[in-house]
Amino acid sequence: MRTAALPKWHCVLIWVAVLMVILPAQGQHSGVSEAGQAVGTGNRLHRQQASHSQKNVSLPLSSHECVVEDGKSEHRVCIFKNIVLWEGQLLYVANGDLVLPDIDINWLEPTRLNIQVMQQADLLPAWSGSQIEDVALALLGHQVNAGNYYHVFIETLPTWHNVLCKYLDLCNYDEGSQVQLWLLEERGEHLTGLAAHLPALNPLYSCLSPTPPRHIKEHTNYGKVVLFKKAIAGMGPDVRAFHQWRPRFFDHFVASPAESMRSWRHRLAQCLAVPFDTAVASQTPVRVTIVNRSYKAGRHLLNAGEVQARILQKWAHSVVQVVDLQGLDLHHQIALFQQTSILIWTHGAAMADLLFLPQGAAAIELIPWPHAEQAHEWAQSIAADFDLHVQVAWTRLTDVSHLHYHTEVLFKDPTWQALTDEERLLFLEKATCPGKSNTPLHALCRNHWMHYLVSYVQPWEPLEQLLDAAHSFVQNPSFPAVSVVT
């Protein structure tokens, strides 16, 4: 079938229309000035100019140097130059065959840096004319337990600080730093409305980078080329993390040097403009802070008011307060902990704020799990790794009758309803979780029911013993502090 040819004047009109669309578009793109500099950011944005004969974008070859290389992927730290992010995927532009070294980015579970090699001759035609964002310096990091205040604050951020300090000599707070934090943990594709962090963590991220963290798969990164002029990835052999029930950690890593962790605390103090790292605990009066969780949050201390009254009866001139950290911004939390002589709290994310306790303070952790027979060393690891001049103690609930289950929620759980009568009685009367230890049922009971659907009453006698030891330490601090357990 033949089609009729268009008159010449029609062709002229069509070409004029096309040129009117194309020419303005080449100079107009969101947030970019005529000089190609991004408006309101520290990154340089520009476009690859495409011609009729040009098929591929021209980008420099990537390169890398591994500054830690002992043959172990979990220890390897490499510095990359000119790597690319396209459509949520990191790419290494090469000219010839190349096998990149494996780099682990997660100390808790083996997780490798996902970066693919692309030949320079095979660069995508789709990149021609694309907006290119230049990032001067990036830390490519994986947040372990990204939704948990404790794990990000006390493990991820100090570890990132150690990497920046040890391998790039960036040890101090710099409000004009070029460093950007790019997140790698798996969260899906084309992420929108991404909450890369908890609100309370916002000021802490700013101590490493003046710009908010970005995830490589945020939807705003798609449809353009992100060129990392320089990027560092990896953890190194020394990691500021702790997990007493995960052998991988102790088999592969050691604690970050105390000097590095002291510099992290100093960096925070500089960044937040609060000299908590040089504060000294009040001896007169002794200030006791009881951090209590809300009933809805679980692990609520039901007799917190009674404990407060008994302490005031014991030390008439002390100052004792019961507080819930939920809703308090970071600066209010720092002020609270900085003025605390003796801290009492239930095991949970609040122990991250031990970092803000003054020298010569004491901390008492309450463990509401009768079957937690192992030494609970999370808080002790914080005091040791950060070289805190703080005495840490803990006491474990031993009487199941002091547990109070949130049955108004628990009894509606379909998993609970599917249990046998015997399994329910064992849990309610002996706090014994159903199922074998490595089953999803047992994990649900241990990690959810026992964490978020239980409150408790703390017996006074074991707590009083720890309070006496804490009071003695505050009045006559000696270092290193000795842990106390009942």
Side-chain angles (χ1 to χ4, degrees):
M1 180 178 176
R2 300 183 62 181
T3 56
L6 290 174
K8 291 183 178 181
W9 65 274
H10 280 193
C11 295
V12 172
L13 289 177
I14 290 173
W15 274 109
V16 170
V18 169
L19 289 173
M20 290 178 66
V21 172
I22 291 177
L23 291 178
Q26 289 182 343
Q28 296 176 4
H29 44 90
S30 177
V32 182
S33 68
E34 292 180 0
Q37 186 70 29
V39 177
T41 73
N43 293 355
R44 176 172 166 75
L45 300 176
H46 53 93
R47 281 187 182 274
Q48 177 68 28
Q49 297 300 320
S51 66
H52 291 295
S53 61
Q54 182 182 24
K55 293 183 178 180
N56 296 339
V57 69
S58 176
L59 288 174
L61 289 173
S62 305
S63 63
H64 69 280
E65 174 190 8
C66 292
V67 292
V68 177
E69 182 53 86
D70 60 4
K72 298 179 180 179
S73 60
E74 61 269 22
H75 293 170
R76 189 172 287 123
V77 177
C78 297
I79 298 174
F80 296 90
K81 291 185 178 179
N82 299 321
I83 60 174
V84 173
L85 175 66
W86 172 256
E87 302 297 86
Q89 176 63 56
L90 291 170
L91 299 171
Y92 187 103
V93 181
N95 190 2
D97 293 338
L98 176 69
V99 177
L100 292 174
D102 290 330
I103 303 174
D104 275 6
I105 53 176
N106 180 348
W107 55 83
L108 201 56
E109 303 288 349
T111 307
R112 298 283 167 82
L113 175 69
N114 181 5
I115 181 168
Q116 298 179 3
V117 176
M118 171 174 279
Q119 296 302 311
Q120 190 177 42
D122 298 331
L123 295 183
L124 298 175
W127 292 3
S128 295
S130 295
Q131 177 179 288
I132 299 178
E133 176 183 353
D134 292 337
V135 176
L137 177 59
L139 183 145
L140 306 176
H142 177 105
Q143 295 185 120
V144 178
N145 296 318
N148 185 287
Y149 175 83
Y150 164 80
H151 287 289
V152 176
F153 177 20
I154 290 298
E155 296 180 339
T156 295
L157 297 185
T159 297
W160 289 353
H161 163 81
N162 187 54
V163 169
L164 292 172
C165 182
K166 189 173 183 179
Y167 306 116
L168 295 178
D169 197 28
L170 300 174
C171 304
N172 298 311
Y173 169 64
D174 178 6
E175 63 181 4
S177 172
Q178 290 186 315
V179 174
Q180 291 188 17
L181 307 176
W182 283 74
L183 310 178
L184 305 175
E185 60 269 13
E186 187 58 47
R187 299 189 186 187
E189 302 286 340
H190 293 273
L191 300 172
T192 58
L194 176 71
H197 43 272
L198 301 172
L201 291 169
N202 288 348
L204 299 173
Y205 285 104
S206 69
C207 296
L208 291 175
S209 170
T211 59
R214 295 170 65 178
H215 197 285
I216 62 170
K217 294 188 177 180
E218 285 184 51
H219 75 287
T220 53
N221 298 325
Y222 286 76
K224 67 179 178 181
V225 177
V226 180
L227 177 63
F228 295 100
K229 296 290 190 179
K230 186 175 183 180
I232 189 167
M235 301 175 290
D238 44 339
V239 171
R240 199 299 99 185
F242 178 80
H243 205 299
Q244 64 187 74
W245 299 297
R246 295 293 184 95
R248 167 179 162 80
F249 177 77
F250 295 104
D251 289 346
H252 297 286
F253 303 103
V254 297
S256 296
E259 180 180 357
S260 177
M261 295 300 95
R262 283 195 295 269
S263 73
W264 167 241
R265 292 188 76 224
H266 181 63
R267 183 180 201 145
L268 289 176
Q270 286 181 309
C271 169
L272 302 172
V274 182
F276 61 83
D277 57 331
T278 57
V280 177
S282 171
Q283 296 176 326
T284 306
V286 170
R287 299 180 178 274
V288 181
T289 300
I290 303 171
V291 174
N292 198 9
R293 297 166 61 94
S294 69
Y295 178 83
K296 185 178 181 180
R299 283 166 278 161
H300 174 66
L301 179 58
L302 292 165
N303 62 330
E306 178 188 350
V307 170
Q308 179 186 30
R310 282 180 174 263
I311 296 174
L312 286 170
Q313 184 180 11
K314 185 179 181 68
W315 304 320
H317 299 292
S318 62
V319 176
V320 186
Q321 58 181 330
V322 179
V323 297
D324 182 355
L325 298 183
Q326 188 173 3
L328 288 183
D329 64 30
L330 184 63
H331 281 85
H332 281 91
Q333 293 184 38
I334 293 174
L336 176 69
F337 277 71
Q338 188 181 357
Q339 298 173 14
T340 295
S341 309
I342 300 175
L343 173 69
I344 302 171
W345 87 102
T346 304
H347 177 79
M351 65 182 168
D353 287 348
L354 290 178
L355 216 61
F356 303 128
L357 285 176
Q359 300 177 42
I364 301 172
E365 183 177 22
L366 309 180
I367 312 296
W369 300 307
H371 300 306
E373 297 177 356
Q374 288 180 291
H376 225 261
E377 298 173 349
W378 298 80
Q380 282 88 335
S381 75
I382 294 174
D385 289 356
F386 289 98
D387 194 27
L388 304 182
H389 293 171
V390 172
Q391 183 193 74
V392 178
W394 64 274
T395 180
R396 175 175 60 88
L397 197 67
T398 58
D399 189 344
V400 177
S401 67
H402 288 122
L403 291 176
H404 292 259
Y405 300 105
H406 301 184
T407 55
E408 73 280 5
V409 178
L410 178 63
F411 287 0
K412 295 177 183 178
D413 188 326
T415 303
W416 171 265
Q417 295 173 354
L419 297 179
T420 65
D421 290 343
E422 182 180 3
E423 288 172 327
R424 294 177 188 174
L425 284 174
L426 280 173
F427 179 73
L428 294 174
E429 295 181 357
K430 297 185 178 181
T432 300
C433 283
K436 295 182 179 180
S437 59
N438 59 347
T439 61
L441 174 60
H442 190 87
L444 172 67
C445 172
R446 184 182 65 249
N447 298 328
H448 184 68
W449 295 350
M450 292 298 294
H451 276 70
Y452 305 108
L453 299 183
V454 67
S455 294
Y456 71 104
V457 173
Q458 173 60 46
W460 172 251
E461 289 74 16
L463 178 57
E464 185 178 26
Q465 295 178 36
L466 297 184
L467 283 168
D468 288 338
H471 192 274
S472 297
F473 177 81
V474 171
Q475 298 303 321
N476 299 285
S478 59
F479 307 112
V482 179
S483 298
V484 182
V485 179
T486 62

